[in-house]
Amino acid sequence: MALPAAALRRYLLLLAQEHLEFRLPEIKSLLSLHGGQFSGEQEIRVNSPFWILNIPSEEMARGLMKRTVCAKSIFELWGHGRSVGELYASLKNYPVDKMLPYLQSDSTYKIHIHTFNKTLTQAQKIKKIDALEFLPFKGKVNLKKPEHIFWILEDYGMDPNNVPEEPFHLYFGRWIADGQRELIESYSVKKRHFIGNTSMDACLSFIMANHGRVKPNDVVYDPFVGTGGLLISSAHFGAYVCGTDIDYNTIHGLGKATRKNQKWRGPDENIRANLRQYGLEKYYLDALVSDSSRPIWRKGMLFDAIITDPPYGIREATRRTGSQKETVKTAERSTENHIFVSSSYHLSDIFFDLLKFAAEYLVMGGRLVYWLPIYRPEYTEEIIPRHPCLKLISNCEQMLSSHTSRRLITMEKVKEFKDQDQNSYLLDGQYMPYRGHNSFREKYFSGVTKRIAKEEKDNQK
Amino acid sequence: MVGTSKPAPLNHVPRSMTSSPLRVSSPRHGCPVTVVTAVQSGAAPLSPEVTQTGGGAGMKLLTHNLLCSNVRGLRPGGGFPLRIQASDVSVRPVPFNAAFVARLVPRLRWGALLEAAESLGHPSELPPEPAPDYEGDEAFLRRVHHVLLEVEVLEGFLQCPDSGRQFPISRGIPNMLLSEEEA
């Protein structure tokens, strides 16, 4: 939908300075979810907390903020510049008829000033606010509950050791809405009833649901569901959720607790109870014990999104049912014959199976979002697993250590899955070069780690 | 970005990429407990033998409609639908969402749904096929909603129609794992 530039309004997005790589894919996905489009001409400095976006309507801007955990606030941009003079000139150019509805004499307002990378004294702030007297404000100032809030935002750059006297960029806008960053605290893993060793932190699980374009009434599936943390964020956004896991005890909420000082899991520690804790129980469909390499679903486009964190073989085992024997841990007592755990499941097989599963079981346009563990010294973009039915949407790195990281991969189904070319694409070498990472676990733990750490230390001398 | 210093005025949101040991001092109470084995009120601490279902939840017929047997060597389509042999079924209300139910209808195997509801003693009162204008028919959607989401199997088996292999359902959770020999 290509609207002329004049029809688009300009908004200023103020972002939180964490998970920097994950922000643009989140904002793009959310804009597209609300019928918008992220155009290439947007003035984005990717690492800056200030982004100017062209969005067709305020409604779409509000829709974006109802979902984002990366952005703090959004403003209708009235003026901006690289100096105070430019800012004021820009404000004088802003159409007065667009300002007037918010400056009426019977309304109340306040002006807030926000600085990035610098702290101003109260006196300095007041001076800057007073300098805006030339704007046609007719209403009364109300600092407690104003109808309209305006912000001056000043960008003093990205270097805390080199803070300039004057800001590099200045902005003035009308506050519209805040994002959903409070969810990070309210859904914190610290307060969650049921956790496991590798439960995902709340912010990242919301980012994953957003990268996955999860919408209300979607059916979202997690094939490595564990304690269900990733389902919670999708359910919060109105999707109905289900998951499977090979670990019987985790699905049933049995066995040893993950929390220190707690021996066994308690009565409200299972996935359904986690959802109930947040009032999301109605979105819970089912959890089942199964091996994700042997799908239990009838063939068809059943799921709107697959959002998952497969095991990396480090803190949880990678395993599947198969031919070799392995001793079942006797510490978790259960009378049922529930685990037939065995053959080593190569890391690359997990992703191969996962992409194949997504290609077959996602609806058209549906997304797969998953974490891929990476050994950084050997990483190139070519090792990201591919599938002819899936298009790579984004690839965002989160560092774990100097030589390991994980990447959040988002793929979208763009082509229907045909049974006959199920495995033929394997012959094309480009599809599975991830094999080198099969020894990720060894590399993570091995002497390689120590050698690299020593080398880095030596280099610092 | 590991190592990047953050400018002072912003609130530093702590990053918890990994879960560190957490301290919990009080036991968690959140929901009604169905105690199935003998530990009753009194001094005995909770142990893994006490099964808790947090309110008695079970496998929904929606899930059943999507499941099929993964036993090796079946003819195509031979693993669906699984026959339900239920020893404990319950009905549990779920808030009605017409839009969600309408979205599900095209994904369902209608015959298998009716058959499953029938076999559990909860005949669905649904027509042999959805009418073309089902999306606007609230009464119809409510009946679909009831059968798909409110009827739950707590205990029993799911049986593969071709091989006869039985997958147990316990505490409402189907176990679809195959044995070493079968896999």
Side-chain angles (χ1 to χ4, degrees):
Chain A
M1 170 174 93
L3 289 177
L8 297 174
R9 294 120 157 275
R10 282 151 64 94
Y11 293 86
L12 177 71
L13 196 61
L14 174 66
L15 296 123
Q17 289 299 89
E18 65 166 4
H19 302 311
L20 299 187
E21 277 191 42
F22 296 74
R23 305 185 307 183
L24 187 56
E26 195 215 33
I27 301 299
K28 281 185 174 175
S29 294
L30 295 178
L31 283 174
S32 82
L33 201 55
H34 289 91
Q37 209 182 330
F38 190 90
S39 68
E41 304 92 55
Q42 310 272 10
E43 298 160 42
I44 299 294
R45 284 168 292 131
V46 174
N47 289 341
S48 161
F50 302 103
W51 290 3
I52 297 179
L53 299 178
N54 297 314
I55 302 177
S57 71
E58 184 169 314
E59 198 186 311
M60 197 178 289
R62 287 180 188 277
L64 167 65
M65 299 316 280
K66 284 217 162 62
R67 288 285 300 248
T68 177
V69 288
C70 290
K72 294 174 157 184
S73 309
I74 200 165
F75 308 89
E76 180 181 61
L77 190 64
W78 286 15
H80 79 292
R82 290 174 193 257
S83 69
V84 164
E86 276 188 27
L87 172 65
Y88 295 166
S90 169
L91 279 169
K92 286 173 183 151
N93 272 334
Y94 190 77
V96 173
D97 56 313
K98 284 195 177 165
M99 288 192 189
L100 288 179
Y102 309 103
L103 305 177
Q104 297 297 307
S105 53
D106 57 349
S107 69
T108 57
Y109 74 98
K110 89 168 178 182
I111 300 181
H112 176 85
I113 179 161
H114 174 90
T115 52
F116 180 73
N117 199 26
K118 187 171 192 159
T119 312
L120 298 179
T121 64
Q122 196 59 12
Q124 286 172 310
K125 290 186 185 179
I126 292 176
K127 196 157 158 237
K128 288 176 190 268
I129 292 173
D130 285 346
L132 292 175
E133 267 169 354
F134 65 92
L135 288 174
F137 285 102
K138 294 198 172 49
K140 283 180 59 153
V141 173
N142 180 332
L143 296 178
K144 289 246 160 75
K145 286 197 96 178
E147 276 170 70
H148 305 294
I149 305 176
F150 300 92
W151 284 42
I152 301 168
L153 300 104
E154 296 189 336
D155 180 2
Y156 287 86
M158 306 287 290
D159 187 350
N161 298 317
N162 190 7
V163 182
E165 195 50 46
E166 295 298 320
F168 292 121
H169 300 270
L170 300 95
Y171 309 90
F172 181 86
R174 177 175 66 91
W175 176 85
I176 300 211
D178 284 341
Q180 301 303 309
R181 289 188 61 78
E182 63 192 13
L183 294 178
I184 297 168
E185 185 53 38
S186 45
Y187 280 85
S188 161
V189 173
K190 292 196 191 81
K191 303 177 192 164
R192 196 167 305 154
H193 290 168
F194 181 43
I195 60 168
N197 290 342
T198 54
S199 288
M200 184 70 51
D201 99 11
C203 186
L204 285 172
S205 64
F206 283 107
I207 286 176
M208 289 175 78
N210 283 336
H211 281 202
R213 268 179 117 253
V214 170
K215 322 175 270 309
N217 303 332
D218 271 358
V219 178
V220 174
Y221 172 58
D222 183 349
F224 300 97
V225 71
T227 57
L230 296 184
L231 298 184
I232 295 175
S233 49
S234 291
H236 176 84
F237 292 137
Y240 289 76
V241 296
C242 58
T244 56
D245 203 286
I246 202 172
D247 189 297
Y248 180 95
N249 284 339
T250 303
I251 291 282
H252 279 264
L254 299 173
K256 286 204 157 161
T258 282
R259 288 200 154 88
K260 188 173 162 167
N261 294 343
Q262 189 181 342
K263 191 157 187 228
W264 299 104
R265 292 193 158 127
D268 54 356
E269 292 193 55
N270 57 43
I271 300 170
R272 181 187 280 254
N274 262 350
L275 288 167
R276 186 182 308 124
Q277 177 185 354
Y278 302 110
L280 300 171
E281 194 178 352
K282 64 179 171 174
Y283 295 110
Y284 176 80
L285 294 176
D286 269 299
L288 303 92
V289 182
S290 88
D291 176 350
S292 65
S293 70
R294 300 187 198 287
I296 54 173
W297 311 101
R298 62 167 160 84
K299 295 193 183 300
M301 300 196 291
L302 307 178
F303 304 113
D304 295 285
I306 296 167
I307 307 211
T308 191
D309 184 21
Y312 316 152
I314 293 172
R315 285 187 292 147
E316 306 284 16
T318 54
R319 46 195 173 139
R320 67 172 160 198
T321 53
S323 49
Q324 293 165 16
K325 292 197 198 307
E326 184 178 297
T327 350
V328 175
K329 286 191 207 138
T330 49
E332 288 119 40
R333 288 170 292 171
S334 172
T335 50
E336 273 174 65
N337 202 8
H338 56 269
I339 294 179
F340 306 97
V341 167
S342 63
S343 68
S344 56
Y345 191 15
H346 288 302
L347 217 46
S348 62
D349 292 340
I350 291 184
F351 302 111
F352 175 82
D353 286 342
L354 183 60
L355 265 68
K356 183 165 146 211
F357 181 90
E360 183 162 7
Y361 290 96
L362 277 175
V363 302
M364 283 298 283
R367 288 193 173 182
L368 164 68
V369 183
Y370 72 96
W371 287 99
L372 185 69
I374 294 290
Y375 181 65
R376 300 182 87 232
E378 291 174 12
Y379 171 74
T380 65
E381 248 193 82
E382 280 72 42
I383 64 144
I384 306 287
R386 302 287 196 145
H387 190 287
C389 297
L390 305 174
K391 175 180 162 195
L392 181 65
I393 301 288
S394 62
N395 164 7
C396 307
E397 184 181 38
Q398 182 192 35
M399 285 191 34
L400 301 174
S401 71
S402 62
H403 57 288
T404 59
S405 66
R406 57 181 180 179
R407 286 179 172 268
L408 187 65
I409 308 294
T410 300
M411 308 191 83
E412 188 170 298
K413 178 165 171 176
V414 294
K415 184 164 165 268
E416 277 204 36
F417 183 87
K418 297 273 181 283
D419 237 8
Q420 57 267 27
D421 49 36
Q422 231 191 75
N423 293 325
S424 59
Y425 66 93
L426 282 181
L427 298 174
D428 185 341
Q430 65 162 305
Y431 287 111
M432 273 329 279
Y434 187 73
R435 284 192 193 280
H437 275 56
N438 276 339
S439 52
F440 179 75
R441 188 171 194 279
E442 286 78 41
K443 288 169 179 160
Y444 187 91
F445 284 124
S446 74
V448 177
T449 313
K450 294 193 195 127
R451 177 169 54 78
I452 289 181
K454 182 176 184 305
E455 276 169 357
E456 282 173 352
K457 213 171 142 193
D458 289 340
N459 286 340
Q460 277 163 21
K461 285 184 189 151
Chain B
M1 299 270 189
V2 171
T4 309
S5 57
K6 295 186 182 173
L10 286 184
N11 290 329
H12 176 71
V13 179
R15 259 192 307 169
S16 49
M17 292 189 286
T18 58
S19 58
S20 44
L22 297 164
R23 285 158 189 80
V24 172
S25 51
S26 58
R28 303 225 164 254
H29 302 290
C31 56
V33 169
T34 306
V35 175
V36 173
T37 58
V39 179
Q40 292 295 351
S41 62
L46 292 171
S47 74
E49 280 90 5
V50 175
T51 58
Q52 289 111 4
T53 56
M59 180 197 72
K60 296 177 197 268
L61 292 186
L62 168 60
T63 304
H64 167 262
N65 198 267
L66 306 181
L67 283 178
C68 79
S69 164
N70 53 354
V71 169
R72 276 195 188 282
L74 298 178
R75 62 190 168 97
F80 179 88
L82 296 162
R83 295 222 168 82
I84 313 179
Q85 292 141 3
S87 54
D88 191 2
V89 177
S90 78
V91 173
R92 183 188 179 85
V94 172
F96 174 61
N97 177 345
F100 177 59
V101 178
R103 271 191 108 220
L104 289 177
V105 169
R107 295 185 206 188
L108 301 172
R109 289 283 171 82
W110 197 252
L113 176 65
L114 300 198
E115 198 185 294
E118 206 54 62
S119 76
L120 293 184
H122 283 264
S124 59
E125 296 157 16
L126 289 170
E129 286 297 331
D133 61 347
Y134 69 85
E135 288 185 68
D137 184 346
E138 186 181 310
F140 167 79
L141 291 175
R142 280 189 182 271
R143 272 182 240 124
V144 179
H145 163 86
H146 175 72
V147 133
L148 272 187
L149 302 176
E150 295 186 326
V151 176
E152 299 186 343
V153 180
L154 294 166
E155 301 287 331
F157 290 92
L158 295 170
Q159 185 175 45
C160 172
D162 267 18
S163 70
R165 210 277 192 192
Q166 291 186 316
F167 299 95
I169 302 175
S170 72
R171 288 179 284 253
I173 294 174
N175 182 346
M176 308 298 292
L177 290 178
L178 296 173
S179 69
E180 298 179 11
E181 296 80 42
E182 291 167 306

